[in-house]
PDB file of all heavy atoms in Angstrom:
ATOM      1  N   HIS V  67    -153.622 -68.475 194.200  1.00  0.00           N
ATOM      2  CA  HIS V  67    -154.182 -67.341 194.932  1.00  0.00           C
ATOM      3  C   HIS V  67    -153.643 -67.357 196.373  1.00  0.00           C
ATOM      4  O   HIS V  67    -153.214 -66.334 196.914  1.00  0.00           O
ATOM      5  CB  HIS V  67    -155.708 -67.477 194.920  1.00  0.00           C
ATOM      6  CG  HIS V  67    -156.438 -66.429 195.682  1.00  0.00           C
ATOM      7  ND1 HIS V  67    -156.459 -65.105 195.314  1.00  0.00           N
ATOM      8  CD2 HIS V  67    -157.193 -66.511 196.811  1.00  0.00           C
ATOM      9  CE1 HIS V  67    -157.189 -64.420 196.182  1.00  0.00           C
ATOM     10  NE2 HIS V  67    -157.642 -65.246 197.112  1.00  0.00           N
ATOM     11  N   ARG V 189    -171.892 -89.030 215.393  1.00  0.00           N
ATOM     12  CA  ARG V 189    -172.847 -88.113 214.748  1.00  0.00           C
ATOM     13  C   ARG V 189    -173.395 -87.170 215.804  1.00  0.00           C
ATOM     14  O   ARG V 189    -173.874 -87.608 216.852  1.00  0.00           O
ATOM     15  CB  ARG V 189    -173.997 -88.909 214.158  1.00  0.00           C
ATOM     16  CG  ARG V 189    -173.551 -89.835 213.044  1.00  0.00           C
ATOM     17  CD  ARG V 189    -174.166 -89.379 211.764  1.00  0.00           C
ATOM     18  NE  ARG V 189    -174.053 -90.362 210.708  1.00  0.00           N
ATOM     19  CZ  ARG V 189    -174.497 -90.107 209.479  1.00  0.00           C
ATOM     20  NH1 ARG V 189    -175.070 -88.946 209.200  1.00  0.00           N
ATOM     21  NH2 ARG V 189    -174.383 -91.009 208.542  1.00  0.00           N
ATOM     22  N   GLN V 192    -178.188 -81.177 215.425  1.00  0.00           N
ATOM     23  CA  GLN V 192    -179.479 -81.326 214.763  1.00  0.00           C
ATOM     24  C   GLN V 192    -179.283 -81.858 213.335  1.00  0.00           C
ATOM     25  O   GLN V 192    -180.097 -82.600 212.820  1.00  0.00           O
ATOM     26  CB  GLN V 192    -180.185 -79.961 214.734  1.00  0.00           C
ATOM     27  CG  GLN V 192    -181.645 -80.041 214.347  1.00  0.00           C
ATOM     28  CD  GLN V 192    -182.274 -78.668 214.219  1.00  0.00           C
ATOM     29  OE1 GLN V 192    -181.595 -77.672 213.932  1.00  0.00           O
ATOM     30  NE2 GLN V 192    -183.576 -78.600 214.441  1.00  0.00           N
ATOM     31  N   LYS V 207    -165.195 -83.085 197.982  1.00  0.00           N
ATOM     32  CA  LYS V 207    -166.458 -82.652 197.382  1.00  0.00           C
ATOM     33  C   LYS V 207    -166.709 -81.184 197.740  1.00  0.00           C
ATOM     34  O   LYS V 207    -166.105 -80.657 198.670  1.00  0.00           O
ATOM     35  CB  LYS V 207    -167.607 -83.522 197.884  1.00  0.00           C
ATOM     36  CG  LYS V 207    -167.446 -84.964 197.448  1.00  0.00           C
ATOM     37  CD  LYS V 207    -168.783 -85.591 197.153  1.00  0.00           C
ATOM     38  CE  LYS V 207    -168.585 -87.008 196.637  1.00  0.00           C
ATOM     39  NZ  LYS V 207    -169.482 -87.941 197.327  1.00  0.00           N
ATOM     40  N   ILE V 208    -167.627 -80.579 196.987  1.00  0.00           N
ATOM     41  CA  ILE V 208    -167.892 -79.162 197.217  1.00  0.00           C
ATOM     42  C   ILE V 208    -169.161 -78.995 198.034  1.00  0.00           C
ATOM     43  O   ILE V 208    -170.205 -79.575 197.716  1.00  0.00           O
ATOM     44  CB  ILE V 208    -168.026 -78.395 195.890  1.00  0.00           C
ATOM     45  CG1 ILE V 208    -166.712 -78.509 195.103  1.00  0.00           C
ATOM     46  CG2 ILE V 208    -168.379 -76.928 196.139  1.00  0.00           C
ATOM     47  CD1 ILE V 208    -166.775 -77.911 193.726  1.00  0.00           C
ATOM     48  N   MET V 209    -169.026 -78.240 199.130  1.00  0.00           N
ATOM     49  CA  MET V 209    -170.177 -77.894 199.939  1.00  0.00           C
ATOM     50  C   MET V 209    -170.519 -76.447 199.566  1.00  0.00           C
ATOM     51  O   MET V 209    -169.745 -75.542 199.852  1.00  0.00           O
ATOM     52  CB  MET V 209    -169.807 -78.014 201.415  1.00  0.00           C
ATOM     53  CG  MET V 209    -170.999 -77.955 202.299  1.00  0.00           C
ATOM     54  SD  MET V 209    -170.713 -78.913 203.790  1.00  0.00           S
ATOM     55  CE  MET V 209    -172.353 -78.846 204.472  1.00  0.00           C
ATOM     56  N   ARG V 210    -171.610 -76.258 198.924  1.00  0.00           N
ATOM     57  CA  ARG V 210    -172.026 -74.984 198.332  1.00  0.00           C
ATOM     58  C   ARG V 210    -170.938 -74.391 197.431  1.00  0.00           C
ATOM     59  O   ARG V 210    -170.925 -74.673 196.252  1.00  0.00           O
ATOM     60  CB  ARG V 210    -172.470 -73.971 199.383  1.00  0.00           C
ATOM     61  CG  ARG V 210    -173.288 -72.847 198.756  1.00  0.00           C
ATOM     62  CD  ARG V 210    -173.788 -71.861 199.776  1.00  0.00           C
ATOM     63  NE  ARG V 210    -174.859 -72.416 200.581  1.00  0.00           N
ATOM     64  CZ  ARG V 210    -176.150 -72.288 200.309  1.00  0.00           C
ATOM     65  NH1 ARG V 210    -176.537 -71.612 199.258  1.00  0.00           N
ATOM     66  NH2 ARG V 210    -177.051 -72.829 201.082  1.00  0.00           N
ATOM     67  N   MET V 211    -169.995 -73.613 197.985  1.00  0.00           N
ATOM     68  CA  MET V 211    -168.953 -73.004 197.143  1.00  0.00           C
ATOM     69  C   MET V 211    -167.563 -73.461 197.563  1.00  0.00           C
ATOM     70  O   MET V 211    -166.574 -73.012 197.031  1.00  0.00           O
ATOM     71  CB  MET V 211    -169.001 -71.474 197.279  1.00  0.00           C
ATOM     72  CG  MET V 211    -170.276 -70.844 196.767  1.00  0.00           C
ATOM     73  SD  MET V 211    -170.380 -70.999 194.979  1.00  0.00           S
ATOM     74  CE  MET V 211    -171.923 -70.132 194.684  1.00  0.00           C
ATOM     75  N   GLU V 212    -167.485 -74.326 198.572  1.00  0.00           N
ATOM     76  CA  GLU V 212    -166.190 -74.572 199.194  1.00  0.00           C
ATOM     77  C   GLU V 212    -165.805 -76.049 199.183  1.00  0.00           C
ATOM     78  O   GLU V 212    -166.612 -76.901 199.548  1.00  0.00           O
ATOM     79  CB  GLU V 212    -166.246 -74.088 200.640  1.00  0.00           C
ATOM     80  CG  GLU V 212    -164.896 -74.070 201.277  1.00  0.00           C
ATOM     81  CD  GLU V 212    -164.704 -72.855 202.156  1.00  0.00           C
ATOM     82  OE1 GLU V 212    -165.667 -72.444 202.825  1.00  0.00           O
ATOM     83  OE2 GLU V 212    -163.580 -72.338 202.176  1.00  0.00           O
ATOM     84  N   ARG V 228    -158.509 -66.619 208.664  1.00  0.00           N
ATOM     85  CA  ARG V 228    -159.571 -66.676 207.662  1.00  0.00           C
ATOM     86  C   ARG V 228    -159.837 -65.274 207.149  1.00  0.00           C
ATOM     87  O   ARG V 228    -159.841 -64.306 207.892  1.00  0.00           O
ATOM     88  CB  ARG V 228    -160.835 -67.310 208.254  1.00  0.00           C
ATOM     89  CG  ARG V 228    -160.565 -68.739 208.704  1.00  0.00           C
ATOM     90  CD  ARG V 228    -161.823 -69.498 208.994  1.00  0.00           C
ATOM     91  NE  ARG V 228    -162.636 -69.628 207.795  1.00  0.00           N
ATOM     92  CZ  ARG V 228    -163.951 -69.876 207.822  1.00  0.00           C
ATOM     93  NH1 ARG V 228    -164.584 -69.969 208.969  1.00  0.00           N
ATOM     94  NH2 ARG V 228    -164.620 -70.007 206.699  1.00  0.00           N
ATOM     95  N   ARG V 242    -166.451 -73.876 215.181  1.00  0.00           N
ATOM     96  CA  ARG V 242    -167.175 -73.421 214.000  1.00  0.00           C
ATOM     97  C   ARG V 242    -167.886 -74.598 213.314  1.00  0.00           C
ATOM     98  O   ARG V 242    -169.040 -74.501 212.933  1.00  0.00           O
ATOM     99  CB  ARG V 242    -166.185 -72.759 213.033  1.00  0.00           C
ATOM    100  CG  ARG V 242    -166.825 -71.953 211.966  1.00  0.00           C
ATOM    101  CD  ARG V 242    -167.255 -70.583 212.491  1.00  0.00           C
ATOM    102  NE  ARG V 242    -168.289 -70.023 211.629  1.00  0.00           N
ATOM    103  CZ  ARG V 242    -169.599 -70.197 211.836  1.00  0.00           C
ATOM    104  NH1 ARG V 242    -170.035 -70.892 212.872  1.00  0.00           N
ATOM    105  NH2 ARG V 242    -170.459 -69.673 211.011  1.00  0.00           N
ATOM    106  N   GLN V 246    -171.869 -75.305 212.806  1.00  0.00           N
ATOM    107  CA  GLN V 246    -172.475 -75.503 211.485  1.00  0.00           C
ATOM    108  C   GLN V 246    -173.433 -76.673 211.470  1.00  0.00           C
ATOM    109  O   GLN V 246    -174.397 -76.670 210.713  1.00  0.00           O
ATOM    110  CB  GLN V 246    -171.399 -75.739 210.430  1.00  0.00           C
ATOM    111  CG  GLN V 246    -170.693 -74.478 210.019  1.00  0.00           C
ATOM    112  CD  GLN V 246    -169.720 -74.730 208.903  1.00  0.00           C
ATOM    113  OE1 GLN V 246    -170.080 -75.178 207.835  1.00  0.00           O
ATOM    114  NE2 GLN V 246    -168.461 -74.452 209.155  1.00  0.00           N
ATOM    115  N   ARG V 248    -175.122 -77.477 214.002  1.00  0.00           N
ATOM    116  CA  ARG V 248    -176.035 -77.134 215.094  1.00  0.00           C
ATOM    117  C   ARG V 248    -175.873 -78.069 216.286  1.00  0.00           C
ATOM    118  O   ARG V 248    -176.848 -78.554 216.854  1.00  0.00           O
ATOM    119  CB  ARG V 248    -177.482 -77.112 214.596  1.00  0.00           C
ATOM    120  CG  ARG V 248    -177.675 -76.061 213.513  1.00  0.00           C
ATOM    121  CD  ARG V 248    -179.129 -75.902 213.133  1.00  0.00           C
ATOM    122  NE  ARG V 248    -179.260 -75.032 211.960  1.00  0.00           N
ATOM    123  CZ  ARG V 248    -180.352 -74.945 211.224  1.00  0.00           C
ATOM    124  NH1 ARG V 248    -181.417 -75.676 211.533  1.00  0.00           N
ATOM    125  NH2 ARG V 248    -180.412 -74.138 210.195  1.00  0.00           N
ATOM    126  N   ARG V 282    -159.700 -69.031 203.346  1.00  0.00           N
ATOM    127  CA  ARG V 282    -160.847 -68.196 202.975  1.00  0.00           C
ATOM    128  C   ARG V 282    -161.808 -68.032 204.136  1.00  0.00           C
ATOM    129  O   ARG V 282    -161.963 -68.920 204.947  1.00  0.00           O
ATOM    130  CB  ARG V 282    -161.591 -68.847 201.815  1.00  0.00           C
ATOM    131  CG  ARG V 282    -160.859 -68.623 200.528  1.00  0.00           C
ATOM    132  CD  ARG V 282    -161.815 -68.418 199.412  1.00  0.00           C
ATOM    133  NE  ARG V 282    -162.446 -69.660 199.021  1.00  0.00           N
ATOM    134  CZ  ARG V 282    -163.621 -69.708 198.401  1.00  0.00           C
ATOM    135  NH1 ARG V 282    -164.272 -68.605 198.164  1.00  0.00           N
ATOM    136  NH2 ARG V 282    -164.132 -70.857 198.052  1.00  0.00           N
TER     137      ARG V 282
ATOM    138  N   MET Z   1    -174.614 -74.403 209.605  1.00  0.00           N
ATOM    139  CA  MET Z   1    -174.248 -74.283 208.201  1.00  0.00           C
ATOM    140  C   MET Z   1    -174.359 -72.843 207.748  1.00  0.00           C
ATOM    141  O   MET Z   1    -174.152 -72.534 206.593  1.00  0.00           O
ATOM    142  CB  MET Z   1    -175.207 -75.095 207.346  1.00  0.00           C
ATOM    143  CG  MET Z   1    -175.212 -76.542 207.711  1.00  0.00           C
ATOM    144  SD  MET Z   1    -175.819 -77.477 206.331  1.00  0.00           S
ATOM    145  CE  MET Z   1    -175.498 -79.102 206.936  1.00  0.00           C
ATOM    146  N   GLU Z   3    -172.681 -70.230 207.836  1.00  0.00           N
ATOM    147  CA  GLU Z   3    -171.623 -69.444 207.211  1.00  0.00           C
ATOM    148  C   GLU Z   3    -171.481 -69.728 205.727  1.00  0.00           C
ATOM    149  O   GLU Z   3    -170.892 -68.947 204.997  1.00  0.00           O
ATOM    150  CB  GLU Z   3    -170.305 -69.691 207.926  1.00  0.00           C
ATOM    151  CG  GLU Z   3    -169.564 -70.900 207.414  1.00  0.00           C
ATOM    152  CD  GLU Z   3    -168.214 -71.041 208.094  1.00  0.00           C
ATOM    153  OE1 GLU Z   3    -167.777 -70.085 208.749  1.00  0.00           O
ATOM    154  OE2 GLU Z   3    -167.623 -72.095 207.958  1.00  0.00           O
ATOM    155  N   LEU Z   5    -173.279 -69.631 203.095  1.00  0.00           N
ATOM    156  CA  LEU Z   5    -173.752 -68.708 202.071  1.00  0.00           C
ATOM    157  C   LEU Z   5    -172.998 -67.392 202.126  1.00  0.00           C
ATOM    158  O   LEU Z   5    -172.906 -66.675 201.140  1.00  0.00           O
ATOM    159  CB  LEU Z   5    -175.252 -68.456 202.232  1.00  0.00           C
ATOM    160  CG  LEU Z   5    -175.883 -67.882 200.958  1.00  0.00           C
ATOM    161  CD1 LEU Z   5    -176.286 -69.022 200.043  1.00  0.00           C
ATOM    162  CD2 LEU Z   5    -177.087 -67.025 201.280  1.00  0.00           C
ATOM    163  N   ILE Z   7    -169.939 -67.013 202.355  1.00  0.00           N
ATOM    164  CA  ILE Z   7    -168.661 -67.086 201.657  1.00  0.00           C
ATOM    165  C   ILE Z   7    -168.809 -66.367 200.331  1.00  0.00           C
ATOM    166  O   ILE Z   7    -169.710 -66.667 199.562  1.00  0.00           O
ATOM    167  CB  ILE Z   7    -168.258 -68.558 201.441  1.00  0.00           C
ATOM    168  CG1 ILE Z   7    -167.944 -69.177 202.799  1.00  0.00           C
ATOM    169  CG2 ILE Z   7    -167.083 -68.658 200.508  1.00  0.00           C
ATOM    170  CD1 ILE Z   7    -167.986 -70.675 202.790  1.00  0.00           C
ATOM    171  N   ARG Z  11    -163.348 -65.320 192.893  1.00  0.00           N
ATOM    172  CA  ARG Z  11    -162.931 -65.103 191.512  1.00  0.00           C
ATOM    173  C   ARG Z  11    -162.435 -66.372 190.838  1.00  0.00           C
ATOM    174  O   ARG Z  11    -162.538 -66.527 189.637  1.00  0.00           O
ATOM    175  CB  ARG Z  11    -161.882 -64.012 191.429  1.00  0.00           C
ATOM    176  CG  ARG Z  11    -160.578 -64.321 192.126  1.00  0.00           C
ATOM    177  CD  ARG Z  11    -159.611 -63.156 191.851  1.00  0.00           C
ATOM    178  NE  ARG Z  11    -158.520 -63.152 192.780  1.00  0.00           N
ATOM    179  CZ  ARG Z  11    -157.274 -63.445 192.431  1.00  0.00           C
ATOM    180  NH1 ARG Z  11    -156.985 -63.770 191.206  1.00  0.00           N
ATOM    181  NH2 ARG Z  11    -156.328 -63.419 193.337  1.00  0.00           N
ATOM    182  N   GLU Z  13    -163.453 -69.565 191.564  1.00  0.00           N
ATOM    183  CA  GLU Z  13    -164.350 -70.717 191.529  1.00  0.00           C
ATOM    184  C   GLU Z  13    -165.676 -70.427 190.825  1.00  0.00           C
ATOM    185  O   GLU Z  13    -166.428 -71.330 190.558  1.00  0.00           O
ATOM    186  CB  GLU Z  13    -164.609 -71.242 192.948  1.00  0.00           C
ATOM    187  CG  GLU Z  13    -163.473 -72.107 193.417  1.00  0.00           C
ATOM    188  CD  GLU Z  13    -163.745 -72.783 194.745  1.00  0.00           C
ATOM    189  OE1 GLU Z  13    -164.717 -72.411 195.397  1.00  0.00           O
ATOM    190  OE2 GLU Z  13    -162.955 -73.667 195.092  1.00  0.00           O
ATOM    191  N   GLU Z  46    -180.636 -70.868 206.445  1.00  0.00           N
ATOM    192  CA  GLU Z  46    -181.074 -71.097 207.820  1.00  0.00           C
ATOM    193  C   GLU Z  46    -182.204 -72.128 207.887  1.00  0.00           C
ATOM    194  O   GLU Z  46    -182.630 -72.514 208.962  1.00  0.00           O
ATOM    195  CB  GLU Z  46    -181.556 -69.792 208.468  1.00  0.00           C
ATOM    196  CG  GLU Z  46    -180.519 -68.673 208.529  1.00  0.00           C
ATOM    197  CD  GLU Z  46    -179.314 -69.028 209.404  1.00  0.00           C
ATOM    198  OE1 GLU Z  46    -179.404 -69.979 210.210  1.00  0.00           O
ATOM    199  OE2 GLU Z  46    -178.274 -68.357 209.251  1.00  0.00           O
ATOM    200  N   ASN Z  49    -181.450 -75.166 203.247  1.00  0.00           N
ATOM    201  CA  ASN Z  49    -180.028 -75.169 202.897  1.00  0.00           C
ATOM    202  C   ASN Z  49    -179.684 -76.332 201.972  1.00  0.00           C
ATOM    203  O   ASN Z  49    -178.584 -76.884 202.036  1.00  0.00           O
ATOM    204  CB  ASN Z  49    -179.170 -75.222 204.164  1.00  0.00           C
ATOM    205  CG  ASN Z  49    -177.742 -74.743 203.895  1.00  0.00           C
ATOM    206  OD1 ASN Z  49    -177.497 -74.063 202.901  1.00  0.00           O
ATOM    207  ND2 ASN Z  49    -176.819 -75.113 204.751  1.00  0.00           N
ATOM    208  N   ALA Z  52    -176.441 -76.398 199.921  1.00  0.00           N
ATOM    209  CA  ALA Z  52    -175.136 -76.764 200.474  1.00  0.00           C
ATOM    210  C   ALA Z  52    -174.651 -78.058 199.831  1.00  0.00           C
ATOM    211  O   ALA Z  52    -173.443 -78.263 199.665  1.00  0.00           O
ATOM    212  CB  ALA Z  52    -175.225 -76.917 201.989  1.00  0.00           C
ATOM    213  N   LEU Z  65    -172.248 -74.641 193.758  1.00  0.00           N
ATOM    214  CA  LEU Z  65    -171.366 -75.551 193.019  1.00  0.00           C
ATOM    215  C   LEU Z  65    -171.356 -76.923 193.690  1.00  0.00           C
ATOM    216  O   LEU Z  65    -170.484 -77.749 193.438  1.00  0.00           O
ATOM    217  CB  LEU Z  65    -169.946 -74.980 192.984  1.00  0.00           C
ATOM    218  CG  LEU Z  65    -169.779 -73.618 192.318  1.00  0.00           C
ATOM    219  CD1 LEU Z  65    -168.408 -73.024 192.632  1.00  0.00           C
ATOM    220  CD2 LEU Z  65    -169.955 -73.738 190.811  1.00  0.00           C
ATOM    221  N   THR Z  67    -171.419 -80.556 195.328  1.00  0.00           N
ATOM    222  CA  THR Z  67    -171.311 -81.922 194.808  1.00  0.00           C
ATOM    223  C   THR Z  67    -171.478 -82.968 195.915  1.00  0.00           C
ATOM    224  O   THR Z  67    -171.202 -84.135 195.708  1.00  0.00           O
ATOM    225  CB  THR Z  67    -169.943 -82.160 194.133  1.00  0.00           C
ATOM    226  OG1 THR Z  67    -168.919 -81.876 195.081  1.00  0.00           O
ATOM    227  CG2 THR Z  67    -169.758 -81.272 192.918  1.00  0.00           C
ATOM    228  N   THR Z  99    -176.695 -92.253 205.296  1.00  0.00           N
ATOM    229  CA  THR Z  99    -176.763 -90.996 204.546  1.00  0.00           C
ATOM    230  C   THR Z  99    -176.248 -89.813 205.359  1.00  0.00           C
ATOM    231  O   THR Z  99    -176.311 -89.817 206.591  1.00  0.00           O
ATOM    232  CB  THR Z  99    -178.204 -90.696 204.094  1.00  0.00           C
ATOM    233  OG1 THR Z  99    -178.166 -89.588 203.178  1.00  0.00           O
ATOM    234  CG2 THR Z  99    -179.106 -90.320 205.263  1.00  0.00           C
ATOM    235  N   HIS Z 107    -185.733 -84.491 212.918  1.00  0.00           N
ATOM    236  CA  HIS Z 107    -184.996 -83.576 213.798  1.00  0.00           C
ATOM    237  C   HIS Z 107    -185.596 -82.172 213.826  1.00  0.00           C
ATOM    238  O   HIS Z 107    -184.964 -81.242 214.331  1.00  0.00           O
ATOM    239  CB  HIS Z 107    -183.515 -83.508 213.394  1.00  0.00           C
ATOM    240  CG  HIS Z 107    -182.698 -84.654 213.921  1.00  0.00           C
ATOM    241  ND1 HIS Z 107    -181.341 -84.591 214.074  1.00  0.00           N
ATOM    242  CD2 HIS Z 107    -183.074 -85.889 214.345  1.00  0.00           C
ATOM    243  CE1 HIS Z 107    -180.890 -85.755 214.550  1.00  0.00           C
ATOM    244  NE2 HIS Z 107    -181.925 -86.553 214.725  1.00  0.00           N
TER     245      HIS Z 107
END
Side-chain angles (χ1 to χ4, degrees):
Chain V
H67 177 67
R189 296 246 193 183
Q192 193 185 27
K207 296 215 177 133
I208 299 174
M209 192 150 188
R210 198 178 287 267
M211 296 292 182
E212 190 140 37
R228 299 193 63 201
R242 195 79 201 92
Q246 283 185 60
R248 298 187 188 164
R282 283 217 286 157
Chain Z
M1 301 202 172
E3 86 176 347
L5 199 87
I7 292 161
R11 64 176 162 110
E13 279 187 348
E46 301 296 343
N49 200 19
L65 300 167
T67 57
T99 190
H107 279 202

